[in-house]
Amino acid sequence: MRYLGRLSTSDPLHAYLQGSIFPQITHIHGHTEFRVFQFPASNEVYLYEEAKTRQRVIGKFYSQHGKDPALLWPRAENEFHHLEYIRSIGFTGRPHAVPKALGCNQGINNILVETFSPGRSLSAVIEQSIRDHQADILFAKLTALAYFLAKMHNLTARSEGVNFAGHEAYFAKIIARLLRRNRISAAQARTFHHDYEDWRQEGAMWSDCAVMVHGDATPSNLLFGDGLLVTAIDLERMHPADRAYDLGMVAGELQHSFLRHTHRKDLAEPFIGHFLWEYACHFPDRHAAFAAITQRIPFYMGLTLLRIARNSWLDWHYSQVLVHEAHKTLRR
């Protein structure tokens, strides 16, 4: 994190933090000062630390250049309510948690304020495991993550089935962005749309009940403490969908990490298999659950690889590696 200085007392956010936010987590009296830190590569998420008590909160601004703030406000409200909902079903501490939503203020650039969640990200765990050849560390944290996701999915299961067609617009959006950035050709785009149609016709993709998925289960949004402690952050994209959506995203991110750091996707396979097998153990028939999940996983893995490939910070050559792997994964 980068230290930016003290928050000005004339800033409306100072009064909001002092009067509405910090009294929820600590006793502060009189004049208060807040240190401000910016997270790497983010213009929207900041950490605010009260100087005396050292208590910390996270402020996330839903504001984007060129977009009407009023159109972004519902996204802030959605995340606020998602945090409240997931905490209401028991995700408030060990071994599973999400941050506590402390406030949401449309008048201050659509800010959402939540408790600070310490922990090591899955990104850091993967990098250490690869760098230091410590497979056991990653295996252990994937066991913890599988437990977290299985519990969240099972506690939020709905009576209605998965609507696989709901993924069509998002899939098309990713393909369109890849086209605009010259990372795929028009012919490749047509092939990917054909792949999607093949998956849409597959009965298994509609077979499970819908659950609330995290929706953005990237390694930076999954934090680990000791033992089985897992905290998930950034619940903005939470929505009802196939449980395999989250699982496929984690699996796709694992494959990407090993491809990027070692140029060998096969090194990710034992970890992906372990993660899915550990997830399946939270069902009455582990073997049946594993078989059903692995039948659907390839679509969501392929979607994740394409999602990563669209990022402008990746060089063109590596984006082509991801596109190629996505094509192989999505092919029926």
Side-chain angles (χ1 to χ4, degrees), residues 108-315:
I108 306 178
N109 294 330
N110 294 336
I111 191 173
L112 167 68
V113 184
E114 61 189 42
T115 52
F116 171 69
S117 298
R120 293 189 71 211
S121 69
L122 179 57
S123 298
V125 174
I126 294 171
E127 289 173 12
Q128 179 188 354
S129 177
I130 293 173
R131 182 187 66 245
D132 300 336
H133 305 287
Q134 294 182 327
D136 289 351
I137 293 174
L138 183 52
F139 279 129
K141 294 311 178 187
L142 290 173
T143 294
L145 178 58
Y147 180 22
F148 176 97
L149 289 174
K151 182 178 178 182
M152 184 180 76
H153 293 161
N154 290 339
L155 288 177
T156 62
R158 300 184 167 204
S159 57
E160 68 267 23
V162 167
N163 176 22
F164 182 76
H167 297 303
E168 184 172 4
Y170 184 56
F171 189 88
K173 181 179 178 180
I174 290 174
I175 298 301
R177 182 167 294 184
L178 287 165
L179 262 175
R180 287 196 303 272
R181 294 183 173 174
N182 297 314
R183 302 207 159 182
I184 60 172
S185 66
Q188 286 176 306
R190 288 192 293 271
T191 298
F192 281 123
H193 283 298
H194 180 74
D195 290 336
Y196 170 81
E197 284 301 315
D198 285 346
W199 281 100
R200 191 171 67 86
Q201 298 299 323
E202 177 60 56
M205 305 309 290
W206 305 76
S207 62
D208 202 356
C209 63
V211 302
M212 289 299 287
V213 298
H214 182 285
D216 195 17
T218 60
S220 59
N221 290 333
L222 302 165
L223 308 177
F224 299 93
D226 60 331
L228 294 173
L229 179 58
V230 177
T231 302
I233 61 174
D234 198 356
L235 272 58
E236 173 189 345
R237 294 177 177 83
M238 179 168 274
H239 64 283
D242 186 347
R243 66 182 72 241
Y245 187 101
D246 281 341
L247 304 180
M249 185 169 290
V250 172
E253 291 280 358
L254 284 167
Q255 187 177 105
H256 153 62
S257 295
F258 278 87
L259 272 171
R260 192 174 183 205
H261 293 291
T262 71
H263 310 292
R264 290 181 56 186
K265 73 171 186 178
D266 61 295
L267 295 180
E269 291 172 5
F271 298 101
I272 294 171
H274 171 82
F275 169 63
L276 298 178
W277 184 243
E278 288 298 302
Y279 182 90
C281 83
H282 297 282
F283 295 81
D285 188 334
R286 186 178 195 176
H287 290 273
F290 182 78
I293 290 164
T294 52
Q295 188 177 4
R296 307 195 303 272
I297 280 288
F299 172 78
Y300 298 103
M301 283 186 68
L303 177 64
T304 299
L305 294 174
L306 291 174
R307 182 178 185 259
I308 298 168
R310 68 182 174 166
N311 287 312
S312 56
W313 51 268
L314 290 175
D315 66 71

Side-chain angles (χ1 to χ4, degrees), residues 4 7 11-14 16-17 36-39 42-48 57-65 69 72-73 75-77 79 103-114 234 236:
L4 300 181
L7 183 65
D11 191 315
L13 180 56
H14 188 284
Y16 182 57
L17 293 176
V36 185
F37 299 83
Q38 184 178 19
F39 283 88
S42 175
N43 295 319
E44 298 179 345
V45 184
Y46 298 84
L47 182 145
Y48 299 92
V57 299
I58 299 297
K60 181 176 180 180
F61 293 93
Y62 282 82
S63 57
Q64 290 178 242
H65 180 70
L72 298 173
W73 173 241
R75 290 169 52 187
E77 286 190 306
E79 183 164 8
C104 204
N105 193 313
Q106 186 176 14
I108 306 178
N109 294 330
N110 294 336
I111 191 173
L112 167 68
V113 184
E114 61 189 42
D234 198 356
E236 173 189 345

Side-chain angles (χ1 to χ4, degrees), residues 44-57:
E44 298 179 345
V45 184
Y46 298 84
L47 182 145
Y48 299 92
E49 180 183 75
E50 200 280 314
K52 294 179 182 178
T53 64
R54 299 294 179 90
Q55 289 287 335
R56 296 174 163 188
V57 299

